[in-house]
C-alpha cells in the first residue's frame, strides 16, 4: 500500500473558506452562534496543533510512565467535561464519574493491548493513547445523556417515585424506571450508529487508516474491534456512574440529596 498523501497548510487554509456557508446560514436565520462558532473553531485548531506536536514527542519518548500520566489526564479532562454538563452537584457526581471511566477503561485497554493488538513494547504510545482517547471520548456524550435523563426523570416524575415508596418499594426499586429510561436514551445513539456503520457511514477510524495506506480489510478489523470496545465501554461507564449517582442522590430514607426544584 502507498504512503499517506500529505496535506499542505495552505490547502487547509483554502478549504476553511467553506466556512462561509455555515456563516451565511447563521446570519440568515439569526442563530446567534457566530461568537461560539469562532471560539470553538479557534480552540479546536489550537488544541489539535498542540496535541499533534505533543503526540509526536510522546511517540518518540514512548515512556510507560508518561503514557499512564497522559491517560490519567484524559480521564480527568473527560470527567470534568461530563460534570460541567450535568445538573447534579459536583459532590454527587465527581467520584462516580471518575470511577466509572476508570472501571471501563482499564479492563478494556488491558484486553486490547495484551490480548489482541500486542504491540512491542506493550505500552507503545502509538496504540495506547489513540485507543484510550477513542474510548473515553465516545463515553463522554453517553454519560451526559444518561445522567441528564435521570435527573430530568427525578424532576418530572417525583410523585411517581414517592408513590412507589408509599407502596413499600425500596429507593432502588422506585428509581428503577428512571434508570431504565436513562440507560435506553444513552445507548440508543451508539446502537443506531452500529446498525448503519458500513452501509450508510464509513467511520472515521477506518477512513483514516485507508487514507493512511492500510488495507481495507485490516481497517475493517480495527474498526470492528474499536466499535465493540466503545459499546462495551459506554455500557460499563454509564451503568456504574448512574448506579453510584443514584445511590448518592437518594438517601437511605428515600429523600433526595439534591434540589429538584
Amino acid at each position: 500500500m502507498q504512503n499517506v498523501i500529505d496535506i499542505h497548510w495552505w490547502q487547509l487554509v483554502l478549504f476553511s473558506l467553506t466556512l462561509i456557508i455555515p456563516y451565511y446560514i447563521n446570519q440568515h436565520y439569526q442563530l446567534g452562534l457566530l461568537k461560539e462558532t469562532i471560539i470553538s473553531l479557534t480552540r479546536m485548531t489550537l488544541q489539535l496543533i498542540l496535541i499533534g506536536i505533543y503526540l509526536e514527542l510522546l511517540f518518540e519518548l514512548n515512556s510507560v510512565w508518561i503514557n499512564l500520566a497522559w491517560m490519567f489526564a484524559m480521564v480527568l479532562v473527560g470527567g470534568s467535561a461530563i460534570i460541567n454538563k450535568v445538573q447534579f452537584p459536583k459532590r454527587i457526581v465527581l467520584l462516580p464519574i471518575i470511577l466509572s471511566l476508570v472501571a471501563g477503561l482499564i479492563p478494556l485497554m488491558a484486553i486490547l493491548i495484551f490480548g489482541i493488538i500486542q504491540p512491542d513494547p506493550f505500552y507503545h504510545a502509538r496504540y495506547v493513547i489513540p485507543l484510550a482517547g477513542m474510548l473515553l471520548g465516545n463515553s463522554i456524550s453517553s454519560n451526559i445523556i444518561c445522567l441528564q435523563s435521570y435527573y430530568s426523570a427525578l424532576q418530572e416524575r417525583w410523585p411517581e417515585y414517592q408513590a412507589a415508596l408509599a407502596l413499600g418499594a425500596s429507593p432502588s426499586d422506585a428509581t428503577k424506571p428512571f434508570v431504565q429510561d436513562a440507560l435506553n436514551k444513552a445507548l440508543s445513539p451508539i446502537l443506531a450508529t452500529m446498525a448503519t456503520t458500513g452501509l450508510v457511514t464509513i467511520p472515521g477510524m477506518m477512513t483514516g487508516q485507508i487514507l493512511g495506506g492500510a488495507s481495507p480489510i485490516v481497517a475493517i478489523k480495527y474498526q470492528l474491534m474499536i466499535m465493540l470496545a466503545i459499546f462495551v465501554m459506554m455500557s460499563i461507564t454509564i451503568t456504574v456512574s448512574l448506579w453510584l449517582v443514584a445511590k448518592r442522590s437518594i438517601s437511605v430514607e428515600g429523600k433526595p440529596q439534591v434540589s429538584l426544584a
Side-chain angles (χ1 to χ4, degrees):
M1 304 297 288
Q2 59 183 341
N3 293 327
V4 62
I5 300 174
D6 195 7
I7 300 173
H8 298 290
W9 286 108
W10 64 265
Q11 292 174 309
L12 279 177
V13 172
L14 284 178
F15 183 72
S16 67
L17 295 177
T18 57
L19 291 171
I20 293 172
I21 298 171
Y23 169 77
Y24 171 77
I25 294 171
N26 177 75
Q27 295 300 104
H28 182 75
Y29 290 100
Q30 298 181 338
L31 302 178
L33 297 175
L34 181 59
K35 181 179 179 181
E36 183 179 351
T37 301
I38 293 174
I39 293 174
S40 298
L41 287 171
T42 303
R43 286 189 59 178
M44 177 188 70
T45 302
L46 292 176
Q47 288 169 178
L48 284 175
I49 291 174
L50 289 174
I51 195 62
I53 296 171
Y54 177 75
L55 284 177
E56 285 201 350
L57 176 62
L58 201 65
F59 291 168
E60 185 177 340
L61 295 175
N62 207 25
S63 165
V64 61
W65 299 112
I66 295 178
N67 294 348
L68 286 174
W70 183 248
M71 287 176 59
F72 181 70
M74 287 195 292
V75 169
L76 292 181
V77 172
S80 66
I82 297 170
I83 292 167
N84 291 334
K85 290 294 183 180
V86 298
Q87 295 172 301
F88 281 108
K90 290 183 179 180
R91 63 181 176 83
I92 296 291
V93 297
L94 177 59
L95 186 60
I97 287 174
I98 297 299
L99 289 177
S100 69
L101 293 177
V102 172
L105 181 65
I106 299 303
L108 281 173
M109 286 296 295
I111 294 171
L112 291 174
I113 295 300
F114 294 107
I116 299 178
I117 303 175
Q118 299 178 352
D120 184 24
F122 71 89
Y123 53 84
H124 203 304
R126 188 172 295 276
Y127 294 93
V128 171
I129 302 303
L131 285 173
M134 281 188 286
L135 293 177
L136 287 169
N138 284 276
S139 297
I140 292 175
S141 58
S142 61
N143 272 273
I144 292 172
I145 294 171
C146 186
L147 294 175
Q148 289 286 47
S149 298
Y150 176 72
Y151 184 86
S152 297
L154 283 180
Q155 285 185 309
E156 298 167 6
R157 299 163 61 185
W158 187 249
E160 180 183 332
Y161 170 78
Q162 290 178 312
L165 290 181
L167 293 173
S170 65
S172 60
D173 288 334
T175 56
K176 188 174 181 179
F178 312 150
V179 171
Q180 289 174 327
D181 288 345
L183 292 174
N184 275 320
K185 290 178 180 178
L187 290 174
S188 292
I190 184 64
L191 291 174
T193 298
M194 290 192 297
T196 57
T197 295
L199 183 62
V200 178
T201 61
I202 298 179
M205 179 181 179
M206 181 177 169
T207 302
Q209 284 190 307
I210 292 174
L211 292 176
S215 162
I217 297 301
V218 173
I220 286 171
K221 288 188 284 186
Y222 268 88
Q223 187 62 54
L224 282 171
M225 178 192 71
I226 198 62
M227 288 300 293
L228 291 174
I230 287 171
F231 180 61
V232 175
M233 174 79 173
M234 283 185 177
S235 301
I236 294 172
T237 56
I238 64 174
T239 303
V240 173
S241 64
L242 185 56
W243 178 69
L244 291 173
V245 167
K247 288 177 69 68
R248 291 167 65 90
S249 61
I250 303 294
S251 68
V252 291
E253 294 85 8
K255 299 178 181 179
Q257 297 284 72
V258 294
S259 173
L260 297 176

